[in-house]
mmCIF file with all atom_site columns, all heavy atoms in Angstrom:
data_model
loop_
_atom_site.group_PDB
_atom_site.id
_atom_site.type_symbol
_atom_site.label_atom_id
_atom_site.label_alt_id
_atom_site.label_comp_id
_atom_site.label_asym_id
_atom_site.label_entity_id
_atom_site.label_seq_id
_atom_site.pdbx_PDB_ins_code
_atom_site.Cartn_x
_atom_site.Cartn_y
_atom_site.Cartn_z
_atom_site.occupancy
_atom_site.B_iso_or_equiv
_atom_site.pdbx_formal_charge
_atom_site.auth_seq_id
_atom_site.auth_comp_id
_atom_site.auth_asym_id
_atom_site.auth_atom_id
_atom_site.pdbx_PDB_model_num
ATOM 1   N N   . LEU A 1 1  ? 157.695 121.652 12.553 1.00 97.00 ? 17 LEU A N   1
ATOM 2   C CA  . LEU A 1 1  ? 157.737 121.198 13.949 1.00 97.00 ? 17 LEU A CA  1
ATOM 3   C C   . LEU A 1 1  ? 159.097 120.821 14.378 1.00 97.00 ? 17 LEU A C   1
ATOM 4   O O   . LEU A 1 1  ? 159.773 120.046 13.678 1.00 97.00 ? 17 LEU A O   1
ATOM 5   C CB  . LEU A 1 1  ? 156.743 120.033 14.136 1.00 97.00 ? 17 LEU A CB  1
ATOM 6   C CG  . LEU A 1 1  ? 156.736 119.348 15.524 1.00 97.00 ? 17 LEU A CG  1
ATOM 7   C CD1 . LEU A 1 1  ? 155.962 120.224 16.530 1.00 97.00 ? 17 LEU A CD1 1
ATOM 8   C CD2 . LEU A 1 1  ? 156.153 117.933 15.477 1.00 97.00 ? 17 LEU A CD2 1
ATOM 9   N N   . TYR A 1 2  ? 159.558 121.372 15.538 1.00 97.00 ? 18 TYR A N   1
ATOM 10  C CA  . TYR A 1 2  ? 160.793 120.943 16.155 1.00 97.00 ? 18 TYR A CA  1
ATOM 11  C C   . TYR A 1 2  ? 160.449 119.956 17.275 1.00 97.00 ? 18 TYR A C   1
ATOM 12  O O   . TYR A 1 2  ? 159.680 120.342 18.199 1.00 97.00 ? 18 TYR A O   1
ATOM 13  C CB  . TYR A 1 2  ? 161.557 122.121 16.705 1.00 97.00 ? 18 TYR A CB  1
ATOM 14  C CG  . TYR A 1 2  ? 162.162 123.013 15.669 1.00 97.00 ? 18 TYR A CG  1
ATOM 15  C CD1 . TYR A 1 2  ? 161.575 124.201 15.263 1.00 97.00 ? 18 TYR A CD1 1
ATOM 16  C CD2 . TYR A 1 2  ? 163.403 122.668 15.027 1.00 97.00 ? 18 TYR A CD2 1
ATOM 17  C CE1 . TYR A 1 2  ? 162.145 125.008 14.276 1.00 97.00 ? 18 TYR A CE1 1
ATOM 18  C CE2 . TYR A 1 2  ? 163.960 123.486 14.126 1.00 97.00 ? 18 TYR A CE2 1
ATOM 19  C CZ  . TYR A 1 2  ? 163.379 124.632 13.720 1.00 97.00 ? 18 TYR A CZ  1
ATOM 20  O OH  . TYR A 1 2  ? 163.908 125.443 12.762 1.00 97.00 ? 18 TYR A OH  1
ATOM 21  N N   . LEU A 1 3  ? 160.961 118.762 17.212 1.00 95.00 ? 19 LEU A N   1
ATOM 22  C CA  . LEU A 1 3  ? 160.733 117.734 18.211 1.00 95.00 ? 19 LEU A CA  1
ATOM 23  C C   . LEU A 1 3  ? 162.030 117.345 18.815 1.00 95.00 ? 19 LEU A C   1
ATOM 24  O O   . LEU A 1 3  ? 162.956 116.796 18.170 1.00 95.00 ? 19 LEU A O   1
ATOM 25  C CB  . LEU A 1 3  ? 160.090 116.530 17.560 1.00 95.00 ? 19 LEU A CB  1
ATOM 26  C CG  . LEU A 1 3  ? 159.914 115.268 18.448 1.00 95.00 ? 19 LEU A CG  1
ATOM 27  C CD1 . LEU A 1 3  ? 158.941 115.565 19.623 1.00 95.00 ? 19 LEU A CD1 1
ATOM 28  C CD2 . LEU A 1 3  ? 159.421 114.084 17.635 1.00 95.00 ? 19 LEU A CD2 1
ATOM 29  N N   . THR A 1 4  ? 162.198 117.605 20.119 1.00 95.00 ? 20 THR A N   1
ATOM 30  C CA  . THR A 1 4  ? 163.416 117.217 20.860 1.00 95.00 ? 20 THR A CA  1
ATOM 31  C C   . THR A 1 4  ? 163.116 116.048 21.719 1.00 95.00 ? 20 THR A C   1
ATOM 32  O O   . THR A 1 4  ? 162.101 115.979 22.457 1.00 95.00 ? 20 THR A O   1
ATOM 33  C CB  . THR A 1 4  ? 163.866 118.364 21.777 1.00 95.00 ? 20 THR A CB  1
ATOM 34  O OG1 . THR A 1 4  ? 164.164 119.537 21.001 1.00 95.00 ? 20 THR A OG1 1
ATOM 35  C CG2 . THR A 1 4  ? 165.133 117.940 22.545 1.00 95.00 ? 20 THR A CG2 1
ATOM 36  N N   . THR A 1 5  ? 163.938 114.999 21.619 1.00 94.00 ? 21 THR A N   1
ATOM 37  C CA  . THR A 1 5  ? 163.858 113.805 22.464 1.00 94.00 ? 21 THR A CA  1
ATOM 38  C C   . THR A 1 5  ? 165.012 113.837 23.500 1.00 94.00 ? 21 THR A C   1
ATOM 39  O O   . THR A 1 5  ? 166.171 113.781 23.049 1.00 94.00 ? 21 THR A O   1
ATOM 40  C CB  . THR A 1 5  ? 163.832 112.509 21.605 1.00 94.00 ? 21 THR A CB  1
ATOM 41  O OG1 . THR A 1 5  ? 162.811 112.572 20.678 1.00 94.00 ? 21 THR A OG1 1
ATOM 42  C CG2 . THR A 1 5  ? 163.667 111.296 22.539 1.00 94.00 ? 21 THR A CG2 1
ATOM 43  N N   . ILE A 1 6  ? 164.690 114.018 24.734 1.00 94.00 ? 22 ILE A N   1
ATOM 44  C CA  . ILE A 1 6  ? 165.713 114.087 25.765 1.00 94.00 ? 22 ILE A CA  1
ATOM 45  C C   . ILE A 1 6  ? 166.151 112.707 26.221 1.00 94.00 ? 22 ILE A C   1
ATOM 46  O O   . ILE A 1 6  ? 165.311 111.794 26.377 1.00 94.00 ? 22 ILE A O   1
ATOM 47  C CB  . ILE A 1 6  ? 165.173 114.860 27.015 1.00 94.00 ? 22 ILE A CB  1
ATOM 48  C CG1 . ILE A 1 6  ? 164.489 116.166 26.541 1.00 94.00 ? 22 ILE A CG1 1
ATOM 49  C CG2 . ILE A 1 6  ? 166.255 115.111 27.992 1.00 94.00 ? 22 ILE A CG2 1
ATOM 50  C CD1 . ILE A 1 6  ? 165.425 117.182 25.969 1.00 94.00 ? 22 ILE A CD1 1
ATOM 51  N N   . ASP A 1 7  ? 167.457 112.512 26.423 1.00 92.00 ? 23 ASP A N   1
ATOM 52  C CA  . ASP A 1 7  ? 167.971 111.217 26.820 1.00 92.00 ? 23 ASP A CA  1
ATOM 53  C C   . ASP A 1 7  ? 167.765 110.954 28.298 1.00 92.00 ? 23 ASP A C   1
ATOM 54  O O   . ASP A 1 7  ? 168.754 110.891 29.090 1.00 92.00 ? 23 ASP A O   1
ATOM 55  C CB  . ASP A 1 7  ? 169.474 111.179 26.473 1.00 92.00 ? 23 ASP A CB  1
ATOM 56  C CG  . ASP A 1 7  ? 170.030 109.750 26.600 1.00 92.00 ? 23 ASP A CG  1
ATOM 57  O OD1 . ASP A 1 7  ? 169.192 108.808 26.712 1.00 92.00 ? 23 ASP A OD1 1
ATOM 58  O OD2 . ASP A 1 7  ? 171.275 109.554 26.600 1.00 92.00 ? 23 ASP A OD2 1
ATOM 59  N N   . THR A 1 8  ? 166.517 110.885 28.692 1.00 91.00 ? 24 THR A N   1
ATOM 60  C CA  . THR A 1 8  ? 166.142 110.522 30.046 1.00 91.00 ? 24 THR A CA  1
ATOM 61  C C   . THR A 1 8  ? 164.758 109.838 30.032 1.00 91.00 ? 24 THR A C   1
ATOM 62  O O   . THR A 1 8  ? 164.015 110.088 29.091 1.00 91.00 ? 24 THR A O   1
ATOM 63  C CB  . THR A 1 8  ? 166.102 111.773 30.956 1.00 91.00 ? 24 THR A CB  1
ATOM 64  O OG1 . THR A 1 8  ? 165.937 111.317 32.322 1.00 91.00 ? 24 THR A OG1 1
ATOM 65  C CG2 . THR A 1 8  ? 164.966 112.683 30.552 1.00 91.00 ? 24 THR A CG2 1
ATOM 66  N N   . ARG A 1 9  ? 164.476 109.030 30.991 1.00 91.00 ? 25 ARG A N   1
ATOM 67  C CA  . ARG A 1 9  ? 163.173 108.373 31.037 1.00 91.00 ? 25 ARG A CA  1
ATOM 68  C C   . ARG A 1 9  ? 162.491 108.819 32.325 1.00 91.00 ? 25 ARG A C   1
ATOM 69  O O   . ARG A 1 9  ? 162.993 108.566 33.385 1.00 91.00 ? 25 ARG A O   1
ATOM 70  C CB  . ARG A 1 9  ? 163.380 106.845 30.980 1.00 91.00 ? 25 ARG A CB  1
ATOM 71  C CG  . ARG A 1 9  ? 162.035 106.105 30.934 1.00 91.00 ? 25 ARG A CG  1
ATOM 72  C CD  . ARG A 1 9  ? 162.238 104.593 30.943 1.00 91.00 ? 25 ARG A CD  1
ATOM 73  N NE  . ARG A 1 9  ? 160.963 103.862 30.972 1.00 91.00 ? 25 ARG A NE  1
ATOM 74  C CZ  . ARG A 1 9  ? 160.367 103.420 29.881 1.00 91.00 ? 25 ARG A CZ  1
ATOM 75  N NH1 . ARG A 1 9  ? 160.912 103.612 28.710 1.00 91.00 ? 25 ARG A NH1 1
ATOM 76  N NH2 . ARG A 1 9  ? 159.214 102.790 29.988 1.00 91.00 ? 25 ARG A NH2 1
ATOM 77  N N   . VAL A 1 10 ? 161.307 109.440 32.159 1.00 92.00 ? 26 VAL A N   1
ATOM 78  C CA  . VAL A 1 10 ? 160.584 109.942 33.298 1.00 92.00 ? 26 VAL A CA  1
ATOM 79  C C   . VAL A 1 10 ? 159.806 108.753 33.928 1.00 92.00 ? 26 VAL A C   1
ATOM 80  O O   . VAL A 1 10 ? 159.103 108.062 33.177 1.00 92.00 ? 26 VAL A O   1
ATOM 81  C CB  . VAL A 1 10 ? 159.651 111.079 32.877 1.00 92.00 ? 26 VAL A CB  1
ATOM 82  C CG1 . VAL A 1 10 ? 158.792 111.511 34.085 1.00 92.00 ? 26 VAL A CG1 1
ATOM 83  C CG2 . VAL A 1 10 ? 160.413 112.250 32.306 1.00 92.00 ? 26 VAL A CG2 1
ATOM 84  N N   . VAL A 1 11 ? 159.913 108.608 35.209 1.00 88.00 ? 27 VAL A N   1
ATOM 85  C CA  . VAL A 1 11 ? 159.146 107.520 35.912 1.00 88.00 ? 27 VAL A CA  1
ATOM 86  C C   . VAL A 1 11 ? 158.219 108.229 36.877 1.00 88.00 ? 27 VAL A C   1
ATOM 87  O O   . VAL A 1 11 ? 158.439 109.334 37.339 1.00 88.00 ? 27 VAL A O   1
ATOM 88  C CB  . VAL A 1 11 ? 160.095 106.562 36.587 1.00 88.00 ? 27 VAL A CB  1
ATOM 89  C CG1 . VAL A 1 11 ? 160.944 105.793 35.593 1.00 88.00 ? 27 VAL A CG1 1
ATOM 90  C CG2 . VAL A 1 11 ? 160.955 107.276 37.641 1.00 88.00 ? 27 VAL A CG2 1
ATOM 91  N N   . GLY A 1 12 ? 157.176 107.515 37.245 1.00 87.00 ? 28 GLY A N   1
ATOM 92  C CA  . GLY A 1 12 ? 156.191 108.077 38.187 1.00 87.00 ? 28 GLY A CA  1
ATOM 93  C C   . GLY A 1 12 ? 154.840 107.464 37.955 1.00 87.00 ? 28 GLY A C   1
ATOM 94  O O   . GLY A 1 12 ? 154.604 106.519 37.176 1.00 87.00 ? 28 GLY A O   1
ATOM 95  N N   . ASP A 1 13 ? 153.845 107.976 38.679 1.00 90.00 ? 29 ASP A N   1
ATOM 96  C CA  . ASP A 1 13 ? 152.473 107.550 38.566 1.00 90.00 ? 29 ASP A CA  1
ATOM 97  C C   . ASP A 1 13 ? 151.969 107.831 37.144 1.00 90.00 ? 29 ASP A C   1
ATOM 98  O O   . ASP A 1 13 ? 151.943 108.989 36.761 1.00 90.00 ? 29 ASP A O   1
ATOM 99  C CB  . ASP A 1 13 ? 151.641 108.307 39.636 1.00 90.00 ? 29 ASP A CB  1
ATOM 100 C CG  . ASP A 1 13 ? 150.217 107.813 39.644 1.00 90.00 ? 29 ASP A CG  1
ATOM 101 O OD1 . ASP A 1 13 ? 149.757 107.124 38.689 1.00 90.00 ? 29 ASP A OD1 1
ATOM 102 O OD2 . ASP A 1 13 ? 149.497 108.150 40.632 1.00 90.00 ? 29 ASP A OD2 1
ATOM 103 N N   . PRO A 1 14 ? 151.544 106.815 36.403 1.00 88.00 ? 30 PRO A N   1
ATOM 104 C CA  . PRO A 1 14 ? 151.002 107.048 35.048 1.00 88.00 ? 30 PRO A CA  1
ATOM 105 C C   . PRO A 1 14 ? 149.871 108.052 34.994 1.00 88.00 ? 30 PRO A C   1
ATOM 106 O O   . PRO A 1 14 ? 149.733 108.709 33.989 1.00 88.00 ? 30 PRO A O   1
ATOM 107 C CB  . PRO A 1 14 ? 150.571 105.631 34.640 1.00 88.00 ? 30 PRO A CB  1
ATOM 108 C CG  . PRO A 1 14 ? 151.365 104.690 35.416 1.00 88.00 ? 30 PRO A CG  1
ATOM 109 C CD  . PRO A 1 14 ? 151.548 105.357 36.760 1.00 88.00 ? 30 PRO A CD  1
ATOM 110 N N   . GLU A 1 15 ? 149.138 108.193 36.091 1.00 89.00 ? 31 GLU A N   1
ATOM 111 C CA  . GLU A 1 15 ? 148.047 109.150 36.116 1.00 89.00 ? 31 GLU A CA  1
ATOM 112 C C   . GLU A 1 15 ? 148.539 110.598 36.163 1.00 89.00 ? 31 GLU A C   1
ATOM 113 O O   . GLU A 1 15 ? 147.795 111.478 35.858 1.00 89.00 ? 31 GLU A O   1
ATOM 114 C CB  . GLU A 1 15 ? 147.125 108.884 37.297 1.00 89.00 ? 31 GLU A CB  1
ATOM 115 C CG  . GLU A 1 15 ? 146.404 107.503 37.276 1.00 89.00 ? 31 GLU A CG  1
ATOM 116 C CD  . GLU A 1 15 ? 145.494 107.379 36.034 1.00 89.00 ? 31 GLU A CD  1
ATOM 117 O OE1 . GLU A 1 15 ? 144.828 108.406 35.721 1.00 89.00 ? 31 GLU A OE1 1
ATOM 118 O OE2 . GLU A 1 15 ? 145.480 106.286 35.423 1.00 89.00 ? 31 GLU A OE2 1
ATOM 119 N N   . GLU A 1 16 ? 149.833 110.775 36.551 1.00 92.00 ? 32 GLU A N   1
ATOM 120 C CA  . GLU A 1 16 ? 150.372 112.131 36.666 1.00 92.00 ? 32 GLU A CA  1
ATOM 121 C C   . GLU A 1 16 ? 151.268 112.448 35.473 1.00 92.00 ? 32 GLU A C   1
ATOM 122 O O   . GLU A 1 16 ? 151.603 113.629 35.285 1.00 92.00 ? 32 GLU A O   1
ATOM 123 C CB  . GLU A 1 16 ? 151.186 112.233 37.953 1.00 92.00 ? 32 GLU A CB  1
ATOM 124 C CG  . GLU A 1 16 ? 150.372 112.065 39.209 1.00 92.00 ? 32 GLU A CG  1
ATOM 125 C CD  . GLU A 1 16 ? 151.188 112.038 40.488 1.00 92.00 ? 32 GLU A CD  1
ATOM 126 O OE1 . GLU A 1 16 ? 152.411 111.896 40.348 1.00 92.00 ? 32 GLU A OE1 1
ATOM 127 O OE2 . GLU A 1 16 ? 150.608 112.207 41.575 1.00 92.00 ? 32 GLU A OE2 1
ATOM 128 N N   . LEU A 1 17 ? 151.633 111.440 34.689 1.00 92.00 ? 33 LEU A N   1
ATOM 129 C CA  . LEU A 1 17 ? 152.500 111.715 33.522 1.00 92.00 ? 33 LEU A CA  1
ATOM 130 C C   . LEU A 1 17 ? 151.656 112.254 32.359 1.00 92.00 ? 33 LEU A C   1
ATOM 131 O O   . LEU A 1 17 ? 150.538 111.783 32.087 1.00 92.00 ? 33 LEU A O   1
ATOM 132 C CB  . LEU A 1 17 ? 153.198 110.433 33.085 1.00 92.00 ? 33 LEU A CB  1
ATOM 133 C CG  . LEU A 1 17 ? 154.105 109.750 34.135 1.00 92.00 ? 33 LEU A CG  1
ATOM 134 C CD1 . LEU A 1 17 ? 154.745 108.559 33.555 1.00 92.00 ? 33 LEU A CD1 1
ATOM 135 C CD2 . LEU A 1 17 ? 155.132 110.742 34.661 1.00 92.00 ? 33 LEU A CD2 1
ATOM 136 N N   . VAL A 1 18 ? 152.188 113.286 31.673 1.00 91.00 ? 34 VAL A N   1
ATOM 137 C CA  . VAL A 1 18 ? 151.536 113.829 30.506 1.00 91.00 ? 34 VAL A CA  1
ATOM 138 C C   . VAL A 1 18 ? 152.259 113.340 29.265 1.00 91.00 ? 34 VAL A C   1
ATOM 139 O O   . VAL A 1 18 ? 153.498 113.567 29.055 1.00 91.00 ? 34 VAL A O   1
ATOM 140 C CB  . VAL A 1 18 ? 151.560 115.376 30.538 1.00 91.00 ? 34 VAL A CB  1
ATOM 141 C CG1 . VAL A 1 18 ? 150.846 115.950 29.322 1.00 91.00 ? 34 VAL A CG1 1
ATOM 142 C CG2 . VAL A 1 18 ? 150.935 115.877 31.844 1.00 91.00 ? 34 VAL A CG2 1
ATOM 143 N N   . TYR A 1 19 ? 151.544 112.600 28.396 1.00 91.00 ? 35 TYR A N   1
ATOM 144 C CA  . TYR A 1 19 ? 152.113 111.980 27.246 1.00 91.00 ? 35 TYR A CA  1
ATOM 145 C C   . TYR A 1 19 ? 151.943 112.829 25.999 1.00 91.00 ? 35 TYR A C   1
ATOM 146 O O   . TYR A 1 19 ? 150.895 113.474 25.823 1.00 91.00 ? 35 TYR A O   1
ATOM 147 C CB  . TYR A 1 19 ? 151.531 110.571 27.035 1.00 91.00 ? 35 TYR A CB  1
ATOM 148 C CG  . TYR A 1 19 ? 151.747 109.644 28.173 1.00 91.00 ? 35 TYR A CG  1
ATOM 149 C CD1 . TYR A 1 19 ? 150.789 109.423 29.134 1.00 91.00 ? 35 TYR A CD1 1
ATOM 150 C CD2 . TYR A 1 19 ? 152.938 108.938 28.250 1.00 91.00 ? 35 TYR A CD2 1
ATOM 151 C CE1 . TYR A 1 19 ? 150.974 108.538 30.153 1.00 91.00 ? 35 TYR A CE1 1
ATOM 152 C CE2 . TYR A 1 19 ? 153.182 108.075 29.284 1.00 91.00 ? 35 TYR A CE2 1
ATOM 153 C CZ  . TYR A 1 19 ? 152.165 107.836 30.254 1.00 91.00 ? 35 TYR A CZ  1
ATOM 154 O OH  . TYR A 1 19 ? 152.405 106.982 31.315 1.00 91.00 ? 35 TYR A OH  1
ATOM 155 N N   . LEU A 1 20 ? 152.915 112.796 25.140 1.00 91.00 ? 36 LEU A N   1
ATOM 156 C CA  . LEU A 1 20 ? 152.765 113.461 23.818 1.00 91.00 ? 36 LEU A CA  1
ATOM 157 C C   . LEU A 1 20 ? 151.724 112.677 23.016 1.00 91.00 ? 36 LEU A C   1
ATOM 158 O O   . LEU A 1 20 ? 151.770 111.462 22.934 1.00 91.00 ? 36 LEU A O   1
ATOM 159 C CB  . LEU A 1 20 ? 154.102 113.430 23.108 1.00 91.00 ? 36 LEU A CB  1
ATOM 160 C CG  . LEU A 1 20 ? 154.133 114.070 21.742 1.00 91.00 ? 36 LEU A CG  1
ATOM 161 C CD1 . LEU A 1 20 ? 153.836 115.567 21.846 1.00 91.00 ? 36 LEU A CD1 1
ATOM 162 C CD2 . LEU A 1 20 ? 155.501 113.891 21.054 1.00 91.00 ? 36 LEU A CD2 1
ATOM 163 N N   . ASP A 1 21 ? 150.792 113.410 22.499 1.00 89.00 ? 37 ASP A N   1
ATOM 164 C CA  . ASP A 1 21 ? 149.697 112.751 21.742 1.00 89.00 ? 37 ASP A CA  1
ATOM 165 C C   . ASP A 1 21 ? 149.302 113.595 20.552 1.00 89.00 ? 37 ASP A C   1
ATOM 166 O O   . ASP A 1 21 ? 148.206 114.112 20.449 1.00 89.00 ? 37 ASP A O   1
ATOM 167 C CB  . ASP A 1 21 ? 148.490 112.527 22.681 1.00 89.00 ? 37 ASP A CB  1
ATOM 168 C CG  . ASP A 1 21 ? 147.392 111.687 22.031 1.00 89.00 ? 37 ASP A CG  1
ATOM 169 O OD1 . ASP A 1 21 ? 147.674 110.970 21.036 1.00 89.00 ? 37 ASP A OD1 1
ATOM 170 O OD2 . ASP A 1 21 ? 146.227 111.740 22.491 1.00 89.00 ? 37 ASP A OD2 1
ATOM 171 N N   . ILE A 1 22 ? 150.248 113.706 19.676 1.00 88.00 ? 38 ILE A N   1
ATOM 172 C CA  . ILE A 1 22 ? 149.987 114.404 18.375 1.00 88.00 ? 38 ILE A CA  1
ATOM 173 C C   . ILE A 1 22 ? 150.395 113.515 17.239 1.00 88.00 ? 38 ILE A C   1
ATOM 174 O O   . ILE A 1 22 ? 151.231 112.606 17.412 1.00 88.00 ? 38 ILE A O   1
ATOM 175 C CB  . ILE A 1 22 ? 150.731 115.788 18.280 1.00 88.00 ? 38 ILE A CB  1
ATOM 176 C CG1 . ILE A 1 22 ? 152.249 115.527 18.340 1.00 88.00 ? 38 ILE A CG1 1
ATOM 177 C CG2 . ILE A 1 22 ? 150.303 116.726 19.371 1.00 88.00 ? 38 ILE A CG2 1
ATOM 178 C CD1 . ILE A 1 22 ? 153.063 116.765 18.034 1.00 88.00 ? 38 ILE A CD1 1
ATOM 179 N N   . GLU A 1 23 ? 149.799 113.743 16.089 1.00 87.00 ? 39 GLU A N   1
ATOM 180 C CA  . GLU A 1 23 ? 150.196 113.028 14.891 1.00 87.00 ? 39 GLU A CA  1
ATOM 181 C C   . GLU A 1 23 ? 150.562 114.000 13.803 1.00 87.00 ? 39 GLU A C   1
ATOM 182 O O   . GLU A 1 23 ? 149.982 115.094 13.683 1.00 87.00 ? 39 GLU A O   1
ATOM 183 C CB  . GLU A 1 23 ? 148.995 112.195 14.390 1.00 87.00 ? 39 GLU A CB  1
ATOM 184 C CG  . GLU A 1 23 ? 148.534 111.095 15.331 1.00 87.00 ? 39 GLU A CG  1
ATOM 185 C CD  . GLU A 1 23 ? 147.341 110.413 14.846 1.00 87.00 ? 39 GLU A CD  1
ATOM 186 O OE1 . GLU A 1 23 ? 147.329 110.048 13.646 1.00 87.00 ? 39 GLU A OE1 1
ATOM 187 O OE2 . GLU A 1 23 ? 146.358 110.276 15.596 1.00 87.00 ? 39 GLU A OE2 1
ATOM 188 N N   . LEU A 1 24 ? 151.601 113.640 13.074 1.00 88.00 ? 40 LEU A N   1
ATOM 189 C CA  . LEU A 1 24 ? 152.051 114.472 11.962 1.00 88.00 ? 40 LEU A CA  1
ATOM 190 C C   . LEU A 1 24 ? 151.090 114.361 10.805 1.00 88.00 ? 40 LEU A C   1
ATOM 191 O O   . LEU A 1 24 ? 150.593 113.236 10.451 1.00 88.00 ? 40 LEU A O   1
ATOM 192 C CB  . LEU A 1 24 ? 153.445 114.106 11.489 1.00 88.00 ? 40 LEU A CB  1
ATOM 193 C CG  . LEU A 1 24 ? 154.563 114.235 12.549 1.00 88.00 ? 40 LEU A CG  1
ATOM 194 C CD1 . LEU A 1 24 ? 155.897 113.876 11.901 1.00 88.00 ? 40 LEU A CD1 1
ATOM 195 C CD2 . LEU A 1 24 ? 154.622 115.630 13.117 1.00 88.00 ? 40 LEU A CD2 1
ATOM 196 N N   . PRO A 1 25 ? 150.773 115.455 10.111 1.00 88.00 ? 41 PRO A N   1
ATOM 197 C CA  . PRO A 1 25 ? 150.004 115.377 8.859  1.00 88.00 ? 41 PRO A CA  1
ATOM 198 C C   . PRO A 1 25 ? 150.755 114.465 7.822  1.00 88.00 ? 41 PRO A C   1
ATOM 199 O O   . PRO A 1 25 ? 152.020 114.372 7.930  1.00 88.00 ? 41 PRO A O   1
ATOM 200 C CB  . PRO A 1 25 ? 149.941 116.824 8.384  1.00 88.00 ? 41 PRO A CB  1
ATOM 201 C CG  . PRO A 1 25 ? 150.208 117.637 9.611  1.00 88.00 ? 41 PRO A CG  1
ATOM 202 C CD  . PRO A 1 25 ? 151.154 116.834 10.444 1.00 88.00 ? 41 PRO A CD  1
ATOM 203 N N   . TRP A 1 26 ? 150.071 113.952 6.915  1.00 88.00 ? 42 TRP A N   1
ATOM 204 C CA  . TRP A 1 26 ? 150.683 113.009 5.947  1.00 88.00 ? 42 TRP A CA  1
ATOM 205 C C   . TRP A 1 26 ? 151.783 113.705 5.170  1.00 88.00 ? 42 TRP A C   1
ATOM 206 O O   . TRP A 1 26 ? 152.710 113.039 4.714  1.00 88.00 ? 42 TRP A O   1
ATOM 207 C CB  . TRP A 1 26 ? 149.599 112.453 5.007  1.00 88.00 ? 42 TRP A CB  1
ATOM 208 C CG  . TRP A 1 26 ? 148.959 113.536 4.138  1.00 88.00 ? 42 TRP A CG  1
ATOM 209 C CD1 . TRP A 1 26 ? 147.879 114.260 4.356  1.00 88.00 ? 42 TRP A CD1 1
ATOM 210 C CD2 . TRP A 1 26 ? 149.415 113.879 2.800  1.00 88.00 ? 42 TRP A CD2 1
ATOM 211 N NE1 . TRP A 1 26 ? 147.627 115.159 3.356  1.00 88.00 ? 42 TRP A NE1 1
ATOM 212 C CE2 . TRP A 1 26 ? 148.559 114.912 2.372  1.00 88.00 ? 42 TRP A CE2 1
ATOM 213 C CE3 . TRP A 1 26 ? 150.507 113.511 1.974  1.00 88.00 ? 42 TRP A CE3 1
ATOM 214 C CZ2 . TRP A 1 26 ? 148.685 115.551 1.119  1.00 88.00 ? 42 TRP A CZ2 1
ATOM 215 C CZ3 . TRP A 1 26 ? 150.660 114.167 0.780  1.00 88.00 ? 42 TRP A CZ3 1
ATOM 216 C CH2 . TRP A 1 26 ? 149.792 115.161 0.355  1.00 88.00 ? 42 TRP A CH2 1
#
């Protein structure tokens, strides 16, 4: 898995924001 973290913070309606929701296998 390649995971990029961008140096910016997205603001807005929490109902419109899509959050990352995955877990790495052990």
Side-chain angles (χ1 to χ4, degrees):
L17 175 76
Y18 289 98
L19 172 65
T20 300
T21 303
I22 310 296
D23 189 14
T24 188
R25 184 182 177 95
V26 178
V27 296
D29 185 344
E31 296 299 319
E32 297 175 347
L33 301 181
V34 181
Y35 298 98
L36 181 63
D37 189 18
I38 61 173
E39 297 176 48
L40 298 183
W42 66 271

